[in-house]
Amino acid sequence: MRRILIIGASAAGLAAAETLRREGFDGTLTLVGDEPDAPYDRPPLSKQILSGEWSPRRLPLRASADLDALGLDLRLGVAATGLDLAEPAVRLADGSAVPYDGLIVATGVRPRRLPGQGAHVLRTLNDALALRDRLGPGRRLAVVGAGFLGAEVAAVARGLGCEVTLLEPAPVPLAHTLGEQVGRMLSQVHLDHGVDLRTGVTVTEANGGRVRLADGELVEADEVLVAIGSLPNTEWLEGSGLTVADGLVCDAYSAAAPGVYAAGDVARWHNPLFGTSMRIEHRTNAAEQGMAAARNLLHPEARKPFAPVPYFWSDQYDMKIQAYGHLRGHDGIAVVEGDLNKRRFLAAYRTGDRLSGVLMAGLPPKVIRPWRQAIAAGAKWHEVVGGGTPSAGAVPAPT
Amino acid sequence: MRVELDEPKCVASGQCVLAAPEVFDQRDEDGVAILLDESPAAGLLDGVREAAAICPAAAIRLVER
C-alpha cells in the first residue's frame, strides 16, 4: 500500500494519520479537510472558547512542528465531492481527483438546522467566535435544544451574564439518553442558575432575533442558537455503492468496503462489546476509532474488531459529568454510589441483563474506574448491582 | 523521550491512566491528570504514546531528545 487518503482533518482523521506514521507507513499520506484551519479541538468551543477563557490559539490539536513531522500531503479548505470505488479515487471540490490504495472516511457531522434566517449553530471555530462576540451581560440568548451542547452553552452564557431561555421539546431534557432521574436533576441545575427552561415546546422556526413555537407563540431574544443534533456528512458518498444509513455503515472492524474504513462522528459501526450498531459523536471515540481504522487498514492480516467502551464528559456550571458505556436505549437505572440530590453520585445503567453504562458527577475519578472495567468485561447487572436489592432508587427507565 | 502534560488543558477523562497507569494518575479532588514519571522507561513508551493519542484534550505531548 503506497497511497493512503484520509478525508476529514479533525480529531479522527488526525489520529488515523498519526497512527499510520507511528506504525511505519512511509508512503504518500494525504489528509483532506473542508475547513481552512489545521486540525483543532472541538469540545472547548462550547466551553472555554465561548466563555472567552481561552484564545483560539490554544485549539490546535498538534503543534505545527509535530504536524509537519508527519510528512502529510495536507489539503485544507477543500471538501470531498465524490468517491469512485472502481478507480479508486476521491473527487475534491477544487476539481482534482486523488487516487488511493487505502481510504479512511472521517468527514464528521454538521448541525441540524431549522427553517429561518440568522440563528447560530455551533460546530466550527468560526461558529463559536460568532456566538461569543454576541454574548455578554444583559444579552438575551434563546437556546433551542437542551441536549449536551445546548446545556453547556446555556451554562456558559449564564456565566457571562446573559438572560437564557432554554427550549426543549421533551418533557425532561436528556431523559432519553440519561434517564428521567438524571435528566430532572440536570433541569434543576439550570433552574438554580436562573435559566428559563421551557420543556415540552417545539420550535418550528429560528431566526436571528426570535423563535416561533409550534403553537404560534414567538419567543424574542437578541441571539438564537439552534442545538438540535447533527447530521452525518455522507452526501459526497451518494452513488459510490457504500451503504449510508445515519452514518457510513461499517462492520465490526470499522470497514465500509475492502480498503475503505470510517472513523469518528460519521461512522456507524457494529460494536461487538454491546452487540449493536452505534454512531458515537464523542471526542474520545473519534481518536480511538481513527487509531483502530488506521491499524486495520495497514495490517489487514491482523485486523481487530473495534470494541470500545465509549466515554464522554460534559461541563455544566461547576459540575462535570462523566460517563462510560452505551446509555442510550437503557432499560433501567440505579444510583449505586452517593446521592443524586446532592449532585454527587454514580448511576448504573442496565440494558437487558447487562451493565451497559455508568454516569458520575461530583465523585473522585477512582470511583468510576472499576465500573468501566465491569462494562468492558461484559458484566451482568445482577453481578455488580447487588442481586435484586440495588441501592437507592432502582426504577424502570422512562419509555 | 520526555513527557509533557499541559495541566490547564486536562479535562479529567482519565484515559491516560487507563493507557499508562505507571506514568499517569489523577487528582482525587478534580480528576486532573498527574504526571508520575516525565522520563518513562522504554518499556512504558507504547502506553504513553497511546495515552497521548487518545487524550481527548490533546494535553499530553511527547518530546524526543
Side-chain angles (χ1 to χ4, degrees), chain A residues 66 311 320 322 366 369, chain B residues 9 11-13 26 28 61:
Chain A
D66 293 344
Y311 166 81
K320 180 181 288 289
Q322 297 185 283
K366 290 182 179 69
R369 276 185 222 148
Chain B
K9 267 190 152 184
V11 298
S13 75
Q26 284 175 279
D28 268 349
R61 184 159 181 246

Side-chain angles (χ1 to χ4, degrees), chain A residues 174 178 182-190 316 319 321:
Chain A
L174 287 167
L178 305 185
V182 175
R184 282 192 195 287
M185 183 276 290
L186 292 173
S187 299
Q188 191 58 49
V189 173
H190 287 297
Q316 297 175 25
M319 191 166 64
I321 299 158

Side-chain angles (χ1 to χ4, degrees), chain A residues 22 41 54 58 60-62 66 283-284 287-288 291 295 311 313 320 322 324 364-366 369 372, chain B residues 6 8-9 11-13 15 17-18 25-28 31 49-50 52-58 61:
Chain A
R22 199 161 58 240
D41 209 12
W54 284 13
R58 298 195 67 166
L61 283 167
R62 295 293 178 266
D66 293 344
R283 173 66 179 79
T284 313
E288 289 180 344
M291 295 167 69
R295 286 174 177 148
Y311 166 81
W313 84 98
K320 180 181 288 289
Q322 297 185 283
Y324 284 106
K366 290 182 179 69
R369 276 185 222 148
R372 181 199 175 278
Chain B
D6 186 347
K9 267 190 152 184
V11 298
S13 75
Q15 299 292 306
V17 185
L18 297 171
D25 199 356
Q26 284 175 279
R27 294 201 298 240
D28 268 349
R49 287 197 185 93
E50 183 89 7
I54 62 173
C55 172
R61 184 159 181 246

